[in-house]
Amino acid sequence: MKFADIPGHDDVKKRLREMADSGRIPHALLLEGPAGAGKFALARAFAQYIHCTARTPEGDSCGKCPSCLQHQAFNHIDTVYSFPVVKKNSKPTISDDYADVFREFMGKYPYMDFDRWLEALDNINAQPQIFVEEGNELLRRLTFMARQARFKVVLLWLPERMKEETANKLLKLVEEPFGDTIFLMVSNNARRILPTIYSRTQRVNVRRYDDDELASILMARGFDFEMARDAARIAEGNVNEALKLADVSKERMQYFDLFVELMRKAYARKVGDLRVWSQTVAALGREPVMQFIDYCTRLIRESFLLHLGNTPLLTMNAAESAFTAKFFPFINERNVEDMAALFDAARRDIAGNANAKIIFFDLAVRVIILIRRR
């Protein structure tokens, strides 16, 4: 990972570059800021820059020397990765037990999507932590001198997920550091880091991407301008969330078309058409149906916010905005609560394995009544 591979953050790159060029690198550096801002990518690029033996005049690692090639393959001998994991069969578990999984994860998701990490761990309900055994392993590995470079670099992802015993062990390493060791920590929630560790780090704040920067990142990945712009606005600077929004845009537009069809045919009282509509929705399958209900609930909420004139809270894309600009008068104080309750009840029934065709036809008929309550 080179600095040039990471969009934006020129101020952070400049600061990191100056640390390495001057030889005054703090023994414990913390990159803190919101999730999806590219902090870990910056830490990786900084580690590669520290180890690079042929830095470019532009202030970047060369990408060609043996150290750079090892970094790009995630196997530099003087680089240690430490990150949250889940226990394996209740046995002592350290990061190295998931080394191959983490390498693949870093390659696929350089912005370190934590939800994707849970999937990689094959346990989406887990609470990954950095266990006390990890502190013991770090102490053991850092006792040895750097083998190839001047510095050993520990890339520690999410120190806020350290158990207290782990944090206390790490505190000793931070308070009495080895002369050839640099800790590069990356945090999404620095307030949860043990205060004694936090106070001993030099902090670099990494801001969120603004909407234009984020849209540019998405367009560089092949998304069109409109889709990229809408996803960037809703994601609030988080690259991971923006990518998810852009990826599901096709499904979102399908849900949008079904919502519009429901409201228009309900207003026109086309009961026969609504029966066909209910069959179409039911055929989507249980999980997509529940996602569709959630989508309808959100669009009803946003239409009511538009009715109230509370536009700063809206998160609609261009197509949704164009429709709700005419639709919002039909969602008002006299029907919004009943409309939301109707969709909530449908969701509960679907979750309970009720007949989806019956549920959605009943819902559609009730919308006929509610949508004319003005």
Side-chain angles (χ1 to χ4, degrees):
M1 177 72 70
K2 299 171 63 176
F3 286 130
D5 297 328
I6 306 166
H9 297 312
D10 292 338
D11 55 335
V12 177
K13 294 174 186 176
K14 181 175 183 292
R15 185 173 173 186
L16 297 176
R17 190 182 297 120
E18 289 175 348
M19 288 179 186
D21 291 345
S22 66
R24 294 193 295 270
I25 307 173
H27 66 272
L29 186 68
L30 175 67
L31 301 184
E32 58 180 333
K39 300 182 299 297
F40 198 76
L42 287 165
R44 283 176 51 199
F46 186 38
Q48 182 169 317
Y49 188 71
I50 291 171
H51 287 152
C52 179
T53 58
R55 297 171 186 168
T56 69
E58 295 75 27
D60 211 339
S61 51
C62 69
K64 300 176 182 178
C65 70
S67 289
C68 284
L69 295 176
Q70 290 170 21
H71 268 283
Q72 290 161 19
F74 307 112
N75 65 0
H76 191 280
I77 195 168
D78 291 320
T79 302
V80 179
Y81 294 99
S82 183
F83 46 88
V85 296
V86 294
K87 289 277 190 182
K88 283 191 172 184
N89 301 321
S90 301
K91 295 180 180 179
T93 308
I94 60 176
S95 298
D96 277 358
D97 294 330
Y98 289 92
D100 291 340
V101 178
F102 193 68
R103 289 190 191 101
E104 182 179 358
F105 169 70
M106 287 189 289
K108 290 178 66 175
Y109 306 107
Y111 290 92
M112 309 301 282
D113 186 336
F114 189 74
D115 291 340
R116 301 294 189 187
W117 178 233
L118 293 177
E119 292 175 5
L121 292 173
D122 198 25
N123 193 339
I124 60 173
N125 296 315
Q127 291 294 322
Q129 294 180 308
I130 301 176
F131 296 100
V132 65
E133 296 85 11
E134 182 76 3
N136 296 330
E137 177 63 11
L138 283 174
L139 180 59
R140 185 191 70 79
R141 294 184 65 174
L142 297 179
T143 301
F144 298 101
M145 294 182 62
R147 301 181 188 181
Q148 180 177 297
R150 178 184 172 188
F151 293 108
K152 303 188 295 286
V153 176
V154 179
L155 285 165
L156 201 162
W157 184 45
L158 304 184
E160 60 266 31
R161 287 189 167 268
M162 284 189 288
K163 292 184 73 68
E164 187 174 351
E165 314 91 84
T166 317
N168 288 328
K169 282 188 176 292
L170 182 63
L171 179 59
K172 286 191 173 184
L173 291 172
V174 173
E175 286 181 327
E176 303 171 8
F178 295 102
D180 64 347
T181 299
I182 297 169
F183 279 91
L184 299 183
M185 306 182 201
V186 174
S187 173
N188 293 341
N189 189 353
R191 290 176 296 179
R192 291 180 54 197
I193 300 174
L194 189 70
T196 47
I197 288 182
Y198 184 76
S199 65
R200 286 164 174 78
T201 62
Q202 185 167 322
R203 276 89 70 185
V204 175
N205 183 59
V206 180
R207 64 173 179 81
R208 54 156 281 186
Y209 283 111
D210 64 36
D211 291 355
D212 290 338
E213 289 174 321
L214 190 45
S216 295
I217 292 172
L218 295 179
M219 286 189 288
R221 291 181 173 233
F223 296 103
D224 64 47
F225 171 75
E226 189 117 348
M227 188 184 300
R229 184 192 61 184
D230 289 337
R233 178 171 52 83
I234 296 170
E236 298 182 338
N238 187 325
V239 176
N240 296 320
E241 291 305 312
L243 288 170
K244 290 174 186 174
L245 288 167
D247 282 339
V248 302
S249 60
K250 183 178 179 180
E251 288 80 5
R252 180 172 176 173
M253 290 313 298
Q254 180 187 24
Y255 296 158
F256 170 71
D257 291 340
L258 288 170
F259 179 84
V260 171
E261 184 181 1
L262 168 63
M263 294 304 166
R264 285 177 174 167
K265 290 183 176 178
Y267 185 78
R269 297 180 178 178
K270 295 184 176 181
V271 178
D273 289 348
L274 288 173
R275 182 182 294 278
V276 176
W277 174 90
S278 65
Q279 294 170 350
T280 300
V281 176
L284 294 176
R286 184 171 176 274
E287 288 304 318
V289 157
M290 294 180 71
Q291 292 172 13
F292 171 63
I293 293 174
D294 291 341
Y295 175 84
C296 292
T297 302
R298 183 183 70 80
L299 212 55
I300 288 170
R301 170 187 171 276
E302 303 246 321
S303 297
F304 186 61
L305 288 174
L306 192 59
H307 174 80
L308 296 176
N310 204 342
T311 54
L313 296 178
L314 299 180
T315 60
M316 294 181 286
N317 62 28
E320 293 165 343
S321 296
F323 172 73
T324 54
K326 297 179 181 178
F327 174 69
F328 78 85
F330 296 92
I331 303 297
N332 52 65
E333 293 87 347
R334 287 167 293 283
N335 65 9
V336 64
E337 290 186 5
D338 289 340
M339 191 79 80
L342 177 63
F343 281 91
D344 286 344
R347 196 184 199 288
R348 287 195 302 271
D349 291 339
I350 294 295
N353 292 317
N355 187 303
K357 292 180 183 179
I358 296 175
I359 295 300
F360 279 106
F361 184 59
D362 179 70
L363 179 148
V365 171
R366 291 174 185 271
V367 170
I368 291 175
I369 300 170
L370 292 175
I371 200 170
R372 288 179 172 271
R373 191 185 293 172
R374 299 177 64 185

